[in-house]
DNA sequence: AAGCGAGATCTTGCATACAAAGATACGCCG
DNA sequence: CGGCGTATCTTTGTATGCAAGATCTCGCTT
């Protein structure tokens, strides 16, 4: 047992390959590295001031999680995902969220319930003043709270993993204040079903909520293309 | 170089690191490498007639998929999973299966439906003659057919990944002919719901089916422990 | 005798070197 | 002038070497 030194910062603590992996994950999910971008090993090694070895190990890991594609002896590219597949991923996320909220409804503790209510109520202010960034952050917290209220850590991990993976392809931000309002209304409906202890209804409403968001995003993307 | 890689069984085509990864995956999910077993890099390298480099890359990938645990500078061990976590994984699989069968009910083509019926009907013979191995194989096919009938490739991949991961910790085979019969009866009920186009009912029945199987397995394990 | 610590040893993590498979460019032939 | 084969060159895949951290051993101290 060592003395309690926390991993204070992203400094140079920890494994180099892990730091490279985290950095690349951020850059891909953040959109800095667009889909299809070639990831040259030597180039990345130079950029991170390391050798190719840790870079390769990081890329291997990213390949497993699906963020990049490796073609044998033909290099690595940021995963280029078809629109169909993105829709499949959205649907999967919607289904998993629906599953989670059903379980959460039946299992959440009073403390977890009050926490969720608190989060939800606070979101009204964000909608009123149209603070998209803050609402995004709240939204993550809201859904995370539901994941954890399932009291199934494995399921929560899966849900977070899938959602994170989708984030990388959602750099097109939807910033319509009307959608913000509707999002909160849908949350409201979900909260009501939770309050009534009706997991099935909460589940259906969550699914609808997620698919609405996906549809809104898709319409937005298609509209942009026409412009 | 010429020092011959004995191309023992597997074709020596493809990347060495990929072959090592596949071999280790099989050994772990097959139970040859029990949970908690230490995986020494040099040792594995010797065994596969390779250097540590491809072994390391394979281990990194296995760590991402959760089959092994890496502690920095302290080596790699086959993932040691608590009973609670195994139950969580079972529940997650059950929920995902339920989700899949609901979608599949609404979306499967006539061809897919007839294929599923065919599979199911053929399973009667396996139950009658108590062929556990053949029933296991059928069971995989049956559930795979449902995954694919969702017409959501991403979801199907997720489902298969989670189920595969669970396989590694299911080396305790349940071989009760009564359970075999009940399993097929539950499939029958699911097929009926599918035939009626009632996805919700198919979903509930699938969830019950999976949880029954998990419970039977857990009871079996607990009983074994007492002996 | 038990606990502790310094050094030996072993294993991991990273760097560098080398080999082989695609990619590319250029010249030859049709 | 264009297609194709070959040589080169770039980039990946693997091996090996070296350094740092962790574990273990064994002697020393209390």
């Amino acid at each position: 047992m060592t003395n309690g030194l926390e991993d204070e910062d992203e400094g140079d603590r920890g494994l180099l390959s892990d730091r490279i992996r985290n950095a690349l994950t951020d850059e891909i999910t953040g959109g800095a590295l667009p889909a299809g971008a070639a990831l040259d090993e030597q180039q990345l090694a130079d950029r991170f001031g390391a050798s190719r070895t840790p870079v390769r190990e990081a890329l291997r890991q990213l390949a497993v999680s699906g963020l990049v594609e490796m073609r044998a002896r033909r290099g690595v590219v940021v995963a280029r995902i078809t629109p169909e597949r993105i829709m499949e991923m959205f649907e999967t996320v919607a289904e998993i969220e629906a599953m989670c909220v059903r379980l959460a409804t039946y299992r959440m503790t009073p403390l977890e319930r009050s926490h969720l209510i608190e989060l939800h109520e606070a979101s009204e202010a964000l909608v009123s003043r149209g603070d998209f960034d803050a609402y995004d952050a709240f939204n993550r917290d809201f859904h995370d709270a539901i994941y954890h209220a399932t009291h199934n850590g494995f399921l929560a991990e899966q849900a977070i993993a899938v959602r994170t993976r989708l984030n990388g392809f959602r750099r097109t931000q939807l910033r319509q204040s009307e959608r913000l309002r509707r999002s909160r209304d849908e949350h409201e409906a979900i909260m009501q079903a939770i309050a009534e202890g009706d997991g099935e209804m909460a589940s259906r409403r969550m699914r609808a909520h997620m698919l609405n968001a996906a549809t809104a995003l898709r319409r937005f993307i298609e509209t942009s293309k026409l412009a």
Side-chain angles (χ1 to χ4, degrees), chain A:
Chain A
M1 168 113 80
T2 58
N3 35 2
L5 273 176
E6 268 64 19
D7 33 34
E8 2 176 323
D9 191 17
E10 302 272 332
D12 53 356
R13 208 70 186 146
L15 265 50
L16 189 52
S17 57
D18 284 353
R19 279 190 291 144
I20 293 173
R21 175 171 50 76
N22 290 335
L24 288 177
T25 298
D26 290 346
E27 291 180 19
I28 294 171
T29 60
L33 286 170
L39 298 173
D40 183 88
E41 295 180 358
Q42 187 60 54
Q43 205 170 303
L44 291 173
D46 293 344
R47 187 150 73 79
F48 288 106
S51 79
R52 281 176 49 226
T53 305
V55 171
R56 279 180 62 79
E57 295 186 348
L59 290 176
R60 282 278 181 177
Q61 296 187 77
L62 294 179
V64 173
S65 66
L67 279 176
V68 306
E69 293 171 5
M70 302 189 77
R71 286 174 304 173
R73 295 176 202 279
R74 298 187 64 187
V76 178
V77 296
V78 176
R80 189 196 312 267
I81 296 197
T82 65
E84 290 75 27
R85 192 163 176 84
I86 292 181
M87 283 302 123
E88 288 184 0
M89 291 173 74
F90 266 116
E91 176 174 84
T92 302
V93 169
E95 292 291 339
I96 290 178
E97 294 269 351
M99 170 198 305
C100 285
V101 80
R102 187 176 58 76
L103 290 175
T105 298
Y106 298 136
R107 298 179 182 177
M108 61 172 48
T109 65
L111 191 64
E112 287 165 345
R113 186 186 313 254
S114 66
H115 175 59
L116 198 62
I117 291 172
E118 201 176 319
L119 274 173
H120 172 60
E121 287 180 348
S123 75
E124 172 57 37
L126 310 178
V127 174
S128 294
R129 62 173 205 262
D131 188 337
F132 291 98
D133 290 331
Y135 192 85
D136 262 17
F138 147 75
N139 206 36
R140 254 198 314 282
D141 292 343
F142 183 80
H143 288 273
D144 279 353
I146 290 172
Y147 301 155
H148 287 108
T150 62
H151 292 254
N152 183 328
F154 180 76
L155 176 57
E157 283 171 29
Q158 296 294 113
I160 290 173
V162 173
R163 193 191 54 186
T164 302
R165 209 168 139 184
L166 192 51
N167 270 343
F169 307 97
R170 194 166 55 181
R171 61 188 181 289
T172 314
Q173 290 287 349
L174 182 58
R175 331 226 90 179
Q176 296 177 340
S177 73
E178 195 207 342
R179 177 68 209 135
L180 216 60
R181 166 58 59 193
R182 284 195 53 193
S183 172
R184 192 182 183 280
D185 288 348
E186 289 162 7
H187 281 189
E188 175 74 31
I190 293 165
M191 293 300 294
Q192 198 170 345
I194 291 175
E196 293 170 11
D198 190 341
E200 299 295 339
M201 176 161 303
S203 178
R204 283 194 298 278
R205 288 178 176 172
M206 176 62 87
R207 186 184 305 138
H209 169 55
M210 298 300 291
L211 291 180
N212 279 342
T215 302
L217 186 60
R218 187 181 51 173
R219 283 208 191 116
F220 178 71
I221 292 172
E222 284 170 356
T223 308
S224 313
K225 274 185 188 159
L226 298 179

